[in-house]
Amino acid sequence: MIFNLPFIIFSLVFATSACLVFIDRRKKRDLPAIPAASFLVPCFNNARHVGQALASIYETAGSNADVVVVDDCSFDGSRELLRQLQRKYRFRLVRNRQNIGKAASLNAHVHFTRHGIVVFVDADVILNKKSLVDAFARLRSDEVGAVSCPYAPQNKGIIPLMQHIEYNMLAFIQGAYNLFSAISLWGGFIVIKKKAFLEAGGFSLNAITEDMDLAFKLNEKGWKVEQSFIPVRTYVPAEVKGWYRQKIRWSSGGFQCFCKYYKIWLRNPLHLFFVFSYSVLLAAAVFETGRDVFLWDQIFDYFISINRIETVFVSLKLTNLKYGFDLLKDMLFFRLALTLISLPFVMPLISGFRKVYLCFMVIPYSIFYLPAFSAVFTLGAVHFMRRRRTLKATVRAW
């Protein structure tokens, strides 16, 4: 079957990644004391969530944490809310005179931070002690310039749940790079040495995904990038329209980085092998499905021709003898294989016996979500190719 070779290739890539992840997670990292760090929070129309984000920062880092919040000309009530929150938490509040975007806001106001370690936290991200401590411990190495944490959706629903499985998959492959250097960062929570950030030139204004672009630039400057395996919680798109827009931006930004920094990922091709083999595997599954459709047409014609001279029971029996084994083998093999290869990304969701039912989420994830994700991923590449000429160095990408 055409499905066999892609499945074997993906299995080898998956096994290699799993070994690298296992080695990284077994590595002991000491953190004698929590280092001094500054938190920089960009806010644009985040009135619904910024209070929760700030509360989590102070609960995690302490009441004396150095926090700078940048209001990028919000018009949803964020400015008034931040004034109220400022009386409670006493953070420093900076307001942009005009809306300049997240990347430019962080670049302009990183100098307001007081410490050599800066934590970029999106206004809809909820921190926890474990993720922050693990990031600090990883950053103790002299060669590590930045560490980020993956996401776990805070909101409920089938679309956020599917994204949770997707994030587990992304965290798995990105974490496999830790022994070398990751080529991506999760922009909602980045712990970075200010020296490394400035050496890399900060965030690129024309980057569609400024976090991934920063990871590549840090690699170019000789800094190592790592990913923690302890997630932070955040609010993710809960409707198809928001999900589609996010995936288009992520995929087009990824293609932008792969084109711009091809020398970096050519030295670290594991991520590309994983995505490519996974995509080929899905394409092969679609091909097999189409082949089975034609096979069913043959089965029907064969049954009709036999039924003209035999009874229905005899016709069914003869049809089953001719086609039954091959059809059952093909359908079970690739459908079961597609489901099983996604199962490891569902398992982290199961925190107890009452959550065992979540195992069944691997079925809609494999059959519906992944093909949709792959299709949008391809559209993202087309979107980038159409926009690439307008992405000038000093022009804001989004």
Side-chain angles (χ1 to χ4, degrees), residues 12 50 201 224 240 277 328 378 394:
L12 292 173
V50 68
K224 186 179 178 183
V240 173
S277 61
L328 182 64
T378 303
T394 57

Side-chain angles (χ1 to χ4, degrees), residues 7 14 335-345 362 366:
F7 182 75
F14 183 89
R335 284 182 173 81
L336 183 61
L338 272 178
T339 301
L340 289 178
I341 61 177
S342 299
L343 189 59
F345 311 127
V362 73
S366 302

Side-chain angles (χ1 to χ4, degrees), residues 263-306:
K263 293 181 180 179
I264 301 297
W265 64 257
L266 281 176
R267 296 201 301 264
N268 301 277
L270 185 62
H271 187 281
L272 196 65
F273 284 151
F274 184 90
V275 173
F276 178 76
S277 61
Y278 212 114
S279 300
V280 172
L281 192 65
L282 287 173
V286 172
F287 179 86
E288 289 285 351
T289 302
R291 198 173 70 88
D292 285 343
V293 170
F294 286 110
L295 185 60
W296 275 108
D297 188 58
Q298 295 178 26
I299 291 172
F300 182 76
D301 290 341
Y302 181 79
F303 173 80
I304 294 298
S305 63
I306 296 295

Side-chain angles (χ1 to χ4, degrees), residues 20-93:
L20 295 173
V21 168
F22 177 78
I23 293 172
D24 177 74
R25 299 192 71 163
R26 293 279 295 177
K27 187 176 179 181
K28 293 183 179 180
R29 297 176 178 86
D30 298 323
L31 187 66
I34 301 294
S38 298
F39 295 80
L40 189 54
V41 183
C43 179
F44 175 67
N45 290 345
N46 291 113
R48 291 180 59 189
H49 308 306
V50 68
Q52 195 174 11
L54 287 170
S56 72
I57 291 175
Y58 284 100
E59 288 172 6
T60 302
S63 58
N64 294 320
D66 176 43
V67 180
V68 179
V69 180
V70 182
D71 177 41
D72 195 21
C73 296
S74 300
F75 51 82
D76 69 336
S78 294
R79 177 170 296 189
E80 293 73 17
L81 176 62
L82 287 171
R83 286 173 180 166
Q84 297 175 19
L85 292 170
Q86 193 177 24
R87 289 194 289 269
K88 178 180 180 180
Y89 296 116
R90 297 183 181 179
F91 54 82
R92 284 174 289 159
L93 178 60

Side-chain angles (χ1 to χ4, degrees), residues 124 151-155 159-161 163 167 234-239 246:
D124 59 355
Y151 303 147
Q154 176 70 8
N155 43 337
I159 295 179
L161 182 59
Q163 288 175 89
Y167 295 161
T234 187
Y235 290 89
V236 302
E239 298 178 353
Q246 183 194 72

Side-chain angles (χ1 to χ4, degrees), residues 198-247:
L198 296 176
E199 283 186 9
F203 292 107
S204 299
L205 298 183
N206 69 335
I208 302 173
T209 49
E210 75 288 334
D211 44 7
M212 189 175 189
D213 181 86
L214 177 62
F216 274 102
K217 292 202 296 183
L218 288 168
N219 276 277
E220 274 193 329
K221 294 296 182 180
W223 289 97
K224 186 179 178 183
V225 176
E226 289 194 11
Q227 177 209 258
S228 170
F229 288 96
I230 304 174
V232 294
R233 304 200 74 83
T234 187
Y235 290 89
V236 302
E239 298 178 353
V240 173
K241 183 178 180 180
W243 174 85
Y244 175 80
R245 291 180 62 184
Q246 183 194 72
K247 301 311 172 192

